[in-house]
Amino acid sequence: MPMFQKNSDIFNILAEGISEGIIVVNTKQIIVATNTSAEQLFGYEKDELIGKSLNVIIPTRYHSQHTSHVSNFIDKGKKRRMGQGMDLNGLRKNGEEFPVEAGLNPFKIYGDTYVLALVTDITERKNYTLKLEQTVQERTKQLTEALIKEKELNELKTRFLSLVSHEFKTPLSGILTSITLLSKYTKTEQQEKRDKHIATIKSKVRQLNTILSDFLSVERLDSGKVNYNIEKFALSKLINEVIYDANMLLKTEQHIQYPDNIDEVQITFDEKILGLALSNLINNAIKYSPEQTTIKIIFRREAEYIYLEVIDQGIGIPKSQQKHIFDRYFRAENALLSQGTGIGLNIAKQHLENLGASLYFESEENVGSTFTIRIPKNQETKKPKDDEETFTDRR
């Protein structure tokens, strides 16, 4: 210390010209000199740090290891930067911690050894680095999500184009074949054959119409252009219409079991949407069930809801794929040989949920499936607005 007092003027002139904080300690780690920047940095008055232990400006948790580090550093006598690769904090007089960077330089003067520490407050730099890291992480996350979404969209696009090509090609080929054969049946006694091919053409046209209706429904749902018409109607009338249309699709000795407790039931809902959903469920039940099976329609009431169940004895849905069954364009692996767009269930579920209803199922592979429509009893009657499009597609 006497040496620094003797040369204080020279030290002060040099030290005060530096914006970083300067702390000089002896081998006992007692502070023997500081500059104004260091005092302001650690919140002390002029010369208040002189004679104090270096530990006063170091957080308590670092004291034990810091003492040994300084001793080793003095013994080696080489300058170095302190805290590289680690977080280093200083301690202000008021107990506040702040991040610092310190360059250490040992030196001897008049036979005594000292260490000069050049201390820099890196709070702003660290905050900037943290903000930069957060920004990079957020951008990386956004980019990753965008790439995943792009990949999913590309896969969806590929699947969609493949599906459209297949689903349109099959009925169009049937229509072309029937038209070609029709031109050959010119005799009166061949009317039965003509009728058969005319029926085939009608069936294929209905199939194409259904596919187009599905795609239009997807576009309307995605664009939010669908409005609903909620009113009271007889459930028996709707189910009669749905079953009448479905009867044309039945396989050999398949039949539909009509619910026996709906003659007086009135429902307040969108009739066309319920017809769409029921038609989809019943048609799927027919498609994925073998011959000589029964498709059951069950109606039941509870306190707040009414339920319509469609129960089949079909191929069922593999357990591992059940979570995807309402995904657009998804088709279970055991259903790929049957015609279908993979859109119907997705559309039905979205429409029902838009109206406060729900669609869910239970299924066991090779045993069958039960799809359930749950509708709240209390529905507010709504009429379509003039500038909105009412849903008109049923099947």
Side-chain angles (χ1 to χ4, degrees):
M1 188 180 299
M3 294 301 102
F4 281 95
Q5 290 175 345
K6 185 184 295 186
N7 297 282
S8 61
D9 290 341
I10 296 174
F11 173 78
N12 288 336
I13 290 171
L14 294 174
E16 296 306 315
I18 299 175
S19 59
E20 288 83 359
I22 293 179
I23 305 287
V24 180
V25 299
N26 60 22
T27 54
K28 295 180 180 180
Q29 298 185 40
I30 300 300
I31 299 173
V32 298
T34 61
N35 67 346
T36 301
S37 294
E39 291 162 349
Q40 292 175 347
L41 193 62
F42 290 96
Y44 287 87
E45 299 295 332
K46 182 172 177 57
D47 296 332
E48 189 178 357
L49 282 170
I50 304 301
K52 295 183 182 298
S53 168
L54 182 62
N55 282 340
V56 300
I57 59 171
I58 298 173
T60 304
R61 63 181 179 280
Y62 298 138
H63 286 181
S64 58
Q65 65 186 66
H66 187 266
T67 299
S68 61
H69 287 168
V70 172
S71 298
N72 291 334
F73 171 70
I74 292 175
D75 291 340
K76 292 180 180 178
K78 294 181 181 179
K79 66 171 63 177
R80 72 177 177 87
R81 184 168 296 280
M82 189 177 183
Q84 279 189 318
M86 58 181 287
D87 289 330
L88 186 65
N89 284 2
L91 180 67
R92 292 193 171 98
K93 185 178 180 179
N94 63 5
E96 178 187 351
E97 292 188 23
F98 63 103
V100 298
E101 188 174 84
L104 303 182
N105 185 18
F107 65 95
K108 288 188 177 182
I109 185 169
Y110 300 108
D112 292 319
T113 299
Y114 301 91
V115 177
L116 183 147
L118 195 64
V119 183
T120 305
D121 183 348
I122 60 170
T123 300
E124 289 188 7
R125 186 201 309 171
K126 193 159 187 177
N127 288 342
Y128 175 78
T129 302
L130 287 173
K131 185 176 181 180
L132 183 61
E133 288 176 352
Q134 290 174 353
T135 301
V136 170
Q137 289 175 357
E138 289 174 2
R139 294 290 172 82
T140 301
K141 182 181 178 183
Q142 291 172 359
L143 179 60
T144 302
E145 291 174 348
L147 289 173
I148 291 173
K149 187 173 182 179
E150 183 179 0
K151 182 181 178 182
E152 291 175 346
L153 287 174
N154 285 335
E155 291 175 351
L156 193 63
K157 178 181 176 182
T158 301
R159 197 189 319 162
F160 172 78
L161 292 174
S162 174
L163 175 124
V164 170
S165 174
H166 177 268
E167 292 301 317
F168 274 82
K169 185 176 180 180
T170 301
L172 286 173
S173 296
I175 291 171
L176 181 60
T177 300
S178 291
I179 289 175
T180 301
L181 292 173
L182 270 176
S183 63
K184 296 180 179 181
Y185 300 137
T186 58
K187 298 178 181 179
T188 304
E189 61 269 22
Q190 293 177 316
Q191 183 62 40
E192 184 177 345
K193 292 182 178 180
R194 286 195 292 270
D195 290 342
K196 178 182 177 181
H197 288 291
I198 290 171
T200 298
I201 292 171
K202 288 180 178 179
S203 174
K204 299 301 181 183
V205 169
R206 280 198 299 268
Q207 186 179 337
L208 286 172
N209 185 62
T210 298
I211 295 171
L212 288 172
S213 294
D214 284 348
F215 290 145
L216 286 172
S217 292
V218 168
E219 191 277 330
R220 290 173 184 174
L221 281 166
D222 288 347
S223 62
K225 294 181 179 178
V226 182
N227 190 40
Y228 300 103
N229 185 22
I230 297 180
E231 55 189 358
K232 184 174 287 188
F233 60 91
L235 181 59
S236 59
K237 174 179 174 293
L238 174 65
I239 290 182
N240 280 332
E241 292 176 359
V242 171
I243 292 178
Y244 177 81
D245 289 341
N247 280 334
M248 293 184 290
L249 305 174
L250 289 173
K251 299 173 184 175
T252 303
E253 295 187 40
Q254 272 187 339
H255 70 278
I256 300 172
Q257 181 177 305
Y258 189 91
D260 57 6
N261 57 342
I262 63 170
D263 289 344
E264 305 299 324
V265 175
Q266 297 283 317
I267 290 183
T268 302
F269 200 67
D270 187 305
E271 183 177 1
K272 294 186 183 298
I273 292 302
L274 186 56
L276 166 79
L278 274 175
S279 292
N280 187 278
L281 298 182
I282 294 171
N283 292 351
N284 282 348
I286 294 170
K287 183 192 303 183
Y288 298 120
S289 297
E291 298 177 354
Q292 302 177 356
T293 55
T294 299
I295 290 91
K296 298 179 180 179
I297 303 174
I298 306 295
F299 170 79
R300 57 189 174 88
R301 304 174 193 258
E302 289 187 3
E304 298 180 5
Y305 299 96
I306 58 174
Y307 298 83
L308 281 167
E309 297 177 345
V310 177
I311 306 171
D312 66 46
Q313 299 169 282
I315 60 176
I317 304 163
K319 191 75 173 178
S320 62
Q321 300 186 344
Q322 291 185 9
K323 62 183 177 181
H324 299 296
I325 203 65
F326 291 116
D327 293 352
R328 190 175 296 175
Y329 307 125
F330 177 81
R331 303 191 69 208
E333 60 185 14
N334 60 345
L336 296 178
L337 296 179
S338 301
Q339 288 185 336
T341 61
I343 300 177
L345 286 175
N346 175 272
I347 293 172
K349 185 175 178 65
Q350 286 191 67
H351 278 308
L352 290 170
E353 290 180 349
N354 286 349
L355 292 167
S358 57
L359 175 62
Y360 53 92
F361 71 96
E362 293 180 354
S363 184
E364 185 177 347
E365 195 170 6
N366 299 319
V367 175
S369 303
T370 298
F371 280 82
T372 303
I373 299 173
R374 186 183 72 174
I375 303 173
K377 283 186 176 179
N378 297 322
Q379 277 280 3
E380 180 183 355
T381 301
K382 299 179 182 178
K383 294 291 183 181
K385 298 176 182 177
D386 293 338
D387 59 347
E388 290 182 309
E389 182 177 5
T390 305
F391 183 82
T392 56
D393 300 322
R394 162 149 323 152
R395 292 175 286 280

